Each structure stands twice: as C-alpha cells, then as structure tokens.
C-alpha cells in the first residue's frame, strides 16, 4: 500500500447492534468511512474516520447545482473468510466517466482501491456471509465550493461508506413502461451515475407505485418506443433462444452487472444481442408466447425477475417461476464471487488484509 491514510478508529464498534439475520437494505452503516479532498488541483487529506455526519455549508455547490456522482459495489466474504470485490476497476472507470461528463476531477486508481480496501479491512466484521448478503460499498464525489454562481466547483470531496445488505428486491418486479416522462435523452447525462438522474426518476416512480407497480421501465426520450432501463437497473428480455438487452447509448447507464451477464452468457455459448428493443416487439413476443423471461440487473438489484409489465392500461404477465436463466446467472456469479469456481474472467480482486492492517 502506497497511500498515506490517517486513521482515526472508533472507541467502540456498533457491531453488536447489527443482526445479520435481519438486514434491512441501506439503513445500517459500518463503523468507519473514507474521505479525501480535491484542493489546488490535487487529491489530498486521505483519512479514515468514525462514520458520522459531515459539516456542510448552506452554500455547498453540490446542493445547488448538482455536481454529485456515485458508484455502487459490493464486497463478499466466503466460508474461508476470504474477502473479494467484483470488478472494482470497472466502477472506477465509470466513476471517472461520470466525473468527466459532470465537469468534475477524475480520481486516481490508487486512491479508489487503497481507500476502499483499507476501509473494508478495518470494517471486515461487518461483511455478512449468509447467502445473498454482502457489504454494499458506496463511493461518491461531490462539489464543495462555497459559491453562489454557476460554474464547475474548484473543490470536491470523495468519500466511501459501506453497509451490510441483502438483495434490494425481495420479490419479482412489476414494472410500468413509461410513456410520458423521460429519464434521459440524447446528449444528456443518462450514462453518468449522477445524483440528478435519480432525483428525476422519483416522481414518475411514485406515480407508478401508486398504481401498484414497483418500478418504471424507462423508454427513449424521443418516441417512448424503445426500452432503456429501470430506475435502479438494466433490463434483459428472453425471446426464444435469444437474450436481448438494450444497446448502450448516452441515455443508458452502462451497468457492470449487465456487462458481466453478457460476457458470462456468451462464454456459455448463448446468443446475447445488444440492440434497441421496441415495445411493439416486446408485446408481439409476449402474444406469440416466445417471451419466456425478463429480468433486471444491477449491483443492488443483483438479478431480479420481472413478473409483469404494464403498458397503456394493460398488464402482461411474464414467467418468473420456471426454468429461469436469472437463477443460474445468480448462482454462477455467487460461485465466482466466493471463489467456489475459478475466476476465468479475471473479475475478482481479493482484499489482502495484511496489506491494510492498521496498527
Ligand atoms: C446500485 O445498484 O448500486 C445502485 O446504485 C442503485 C441504487 C438503487 C442503490
């Protein structure tokens, strides 16, 4: 480890109040957090502190003009206590793509990896090892200038916190195909994992939830005719022997789980096609009974089936019980993440605790 991280540990861990058999998603946080600052054009002040509130000025530019980006990733602990991360450098690449689009500074790999691995090493007892659980890791960057004018901030903070989680969804999803509101349009920020994209999704999602759906399935901003993604995940549709997923564009988040599914299935000889998927085709595949499965993919969502989609006041049910490809994908991923099967894709980064032990 080369980064000098000042470490200030809690006097007493909160872990005795954490029940790994009753995990509520996103409500319990580990003992510590990693932080650093961007000042005078460079990243500095690397530290690990007790998890807690941070002082904010009312003028903080991220609060007003939205320069705020984040990532979602997970750490796993296998039966032998080995801690793994899944494709962490892909998260760093996406964070830096988001940073460029939002006119924020990029983060070097050593800060991202060493800050995260040290935090995980210190809080390793919080990584649950029950089936389906993991330690969710949230790296994020935000603008910290105290300035009223609209311009890119000169100061930023980058932080990482973590929380033990189970899968985000505990049941198959009911989604409503969106015809009115738009998540992202050509030339916009849809491919960036920026806070504003999630803010913009909340009102349409609330409307869909009031009608009994779990999520919105977004469509393209031009015509509302092509599937894009849900508010939390990418989407896959199986028709006959072919697995379709919307092709990437500047209005779609390039999910790392999405990419891993495509690579895994192609390596298994399956036919995966990335292309625009029209609602017209989706409904015609459903009517001809060729549509055998739909699922969403994401770090938090993992791989979760869609049991029903709604479009223009009509609901279409989808098989979510028999011969599910989603289940085998999940098992394959879990086996790779816990080193039960060999990591032939070179996706796993093992956290070598001895490198990060704090004296
Ligand atoms: C993730 O999957 O990591 C996300 O950022 C989505 C959010 C619903 C937690």
């Amino acid at each position: 480890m080369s980064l000098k991280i000042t470490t200030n540990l809690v006097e007493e861990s909160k872990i005795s109040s954490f029940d790994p058999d009753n995990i509520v998603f996103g409500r319990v946080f580990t003992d510590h957090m990693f932080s650093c600052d961007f000042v005078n054009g460079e990243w500095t002040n690397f530290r690990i502190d007790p998890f807690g509130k941070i002082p904010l000025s009312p003028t903080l530019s991220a609060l007003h003009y939205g320069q705020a980006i984040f990532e979602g990733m997970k750490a796993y602990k296998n039966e032998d206590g080995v801690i793994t991360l899944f494709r962490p450098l892909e998260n760093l690449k996406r964070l830096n793509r988001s940073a460029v689009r939002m006119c924020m500074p990029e983060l070097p790999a050593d800060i991202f990896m060493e800050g995260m691995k040290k935090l995980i090493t210190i809080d390793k007892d919080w990584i649950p090892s029950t089936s389906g659980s993991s330690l969710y890791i949230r790296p994020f960057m935000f603008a910290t200038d105290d300035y009223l004018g609209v311009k890119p901030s000169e100061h930023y903070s980058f932080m990482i916190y973590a929380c033990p989680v189970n899968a985000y969804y505990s049941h198959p999803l009911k989604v409503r195909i969106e015809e009115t509101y738009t998540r992202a349009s050509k030339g916009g920020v849809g491919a960036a994992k920026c806070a504003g994209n999630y803010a913009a999704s909340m009102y349409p999602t609330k409307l869909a939830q009031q009608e009994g759906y779990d999520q919105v399935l977004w469509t393209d901003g031009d015509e509302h005719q092509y599937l894009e993604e849900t508010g939390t995940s990418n989407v896959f549709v199986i028709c006959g022997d072919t697995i379709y997923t919307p092709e990437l564009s500047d209005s779609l988040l390039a999910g790392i789980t999405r990419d891993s599914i495509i690579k895994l299935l192609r390596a298994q000889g399956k036919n995966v096609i990335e292309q625009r998927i029209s609602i017209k085709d989706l409904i015609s595949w459903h009517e001809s009974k060729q549509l055998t499965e739909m699922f969403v993919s994401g770090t938090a969502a993992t791989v979760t089936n869609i049991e029903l989609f709604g479009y223009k006041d009509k609901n279409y049910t989808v098989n979510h019980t028999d011969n599910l490809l989603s289940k085998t994908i999940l098992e394959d991923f879990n086996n790779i993440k816990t080193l039960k099967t060999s990591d032939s894709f070179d996706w796993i980064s093992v956290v070598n605790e001895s490198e990060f032990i704090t004296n």
Side-chain angles (χ1 to χ4, degrees):
M1 181 173 137
S2 56
L3 202 68
K4 197 172 161 344
I5 304 177
T6 306
T7 304
N8 170 21
L9 299 184
V10 290
E11 281 176 13
E12 198 183 344
S13 171
K14 299 174 294 199
I15 199 153
S16 59
S17 62
F18 164 59
D19 176 2
D21 296 320
N22 287 298
I23 302 177
V24 181
F25 189 99
R27 293 283 180 199
V28 174
F29 307 103
T30 68
D31 286 324
H32 299 95
M33 58 191 189
F34 171 79
S35 317
C36 60
D37 304 310
F38 188 78
V39 185
N40 295 330
E42 61 182 45
W43 289 102
T44 178
N45 197 13
F46 309 106
R47 58 205 190 272
I48 285 186
D49 292 306
F51 177 88
K53 302 217 182 292
I54 50 176
L56 297 182
S57 162
T59 61
L60 188 97
S61 58
L63 295 178
H64 302 268
Y65 306 124
Q67 278 184 297
I69 57 176
F70 69 96
E71 277 300 315
M73 28 199 317
K74 284 177 173 171
Y76 307 85
K77 196 194 279 174
N78 75 7
E79 286 162 4
D80 301 323
V82 179
I83 302 168
T84 57
L85 292 164
F86 187 70
R87 307 186 75 187
L89 288 173
E90 294 304 312
N91 290 91
L92 174 66
K93 283 187 210 157
R94 189 172 63 186
L95 181 84
N96 282 337
R97 289 199 302 271
S98 301
V100 169
R101 180 62 184 86
M102 304 303 287
C103 212
M104 299 166 80
E106 292 180 58
L107 189 81
D110 59 335
I111 300 175
F112 187 79
M113 292 304 292
E114 293 185 24
M116 182 176 318
K117 287 189 170 181
K118 189 166 177 88
L119 178 68
I120 292 169
T121 300
I122 291 172
D123 283 346
K124 67 177 182 197
D125 292 344
W126 290 86
I127 309 175
S129 49
T130 47
S131 166
S133 66
S134 56
L135 187 73
Y136 186 90
I137 301 162
R138 173 52 62 88
F140 62 109
M141 189 196 296
F142 57 100
T144 57
D145 270 10
D146 290 324
Y147 177 58
L148 180 64
V150 180
K151 72 169 188 62
S153 183
E154 285 168 24
H155 303 87
Y156 297 85
S157 286
F158 171 73
M159 301 184 69
I160 307 174
Y161 71 79
C163 54
V165 295
N166 277 326
Y168 194 68
Y169 297 115
S170 53
H171 54 82
L173 300 181
K174 298 183 172 78
V175 298
R176 192 189 65 187
I177 298 181
E178 184 60 53
E179 300 172 74
T180 307
Y181 298 97
T182 301
R183 174 186 172 275
S185 52
K186 279 194 193 117
V189 295
K193 203 160 170 67
C194 61
N197 282 338
Y198 293 80
S201 75
M202 286 183 194
Y203 180 64
T205 305
K206 183 178 92 169
L207 297 181
Q209 287 171 348
Q210 282 169 350
E211 292 172 25
Y213 299 96
D214 300 295
Q215 269 295 333
V216 167
L217 178 46
W218 294 104
T219 51
D220 66 287
D222 289 340
E223 306 171 70
H224 294 297
Q225 283 306 319
Y226 295 92
L227 305 187
E228 297 243 296
E229 60 177 82
T230 78
T232 56
S233 39
N234 295 112
V235 65
F236 286 80
V237 178
I238 307 183
C239 172
D241 290 335
T242 305
I243 301 125
Y244 294 92
T245 191
E247 67 190 6
L248 294 180
S249 71
D250 60 0
S251 60
L252 213 73
L253 193 78
I256 292 149
T257 313
R258 172 193 179 279
D259 181 68
S260 308
I261 291 174
I262 294 171
K263 291 195 163 76
L264 180 86
L265 294 180
R266 284 188 179 150
Q268 294 172 349
K270 300 203 166 59
N271 187 26
V272 186
I273 298 186
E274 298 171 74
Q275 65 170 45
R276 294 184 99 191
I277 304 171
S278 69
I279 303 170
K280 199 163 144 269
D281 281 346
L282 185 74
I283 289 174
S284 116
W285 295 340
H286 187 274
E287 280 168 358
S288 64
K289 302 206 181 334
Q290 287 173 285
L291 197 168
T292 53
E293 190 177 338
M294 285 174 79
F295 55 84
V296 300
S297 71
T299 300
T302 67
V303 186
T304 303
N305 283 95
I306 292 177
E307 67 164 273
L308 171 154
F309 65 88
Y311 182 60
K312 288 198 190 296
D313 299 326
K314 190 167 167 197
N315 285 332
Y316 300 79
T317 52
V318 184
N319 166 43
H320 56 283
T321 51
D322 300 331
N323 298 321
L324 298 178
L325 185 64
S326 59
K327 294 279 169 293
T328 50
I329 295 171
L330 256 186
E331 277 166 26
D332 289 345
F333 280 167
N334 285 340
N335 288 337
I336 295 172
K337 288 166 181 172
T338 53
L339 307 177
K340 275 198 191 120
T341 51
S342 73
D343 174 23
S344 50
F345 297 94
D346 204 14
W347 281 342
I348 297 302
S349 173
V350 172
V351 180
N352 180 1
E353 294 168 51
S354 61
E355 239 184 287
F356 300 97
I357 297 289
T358 299
N359 297 313

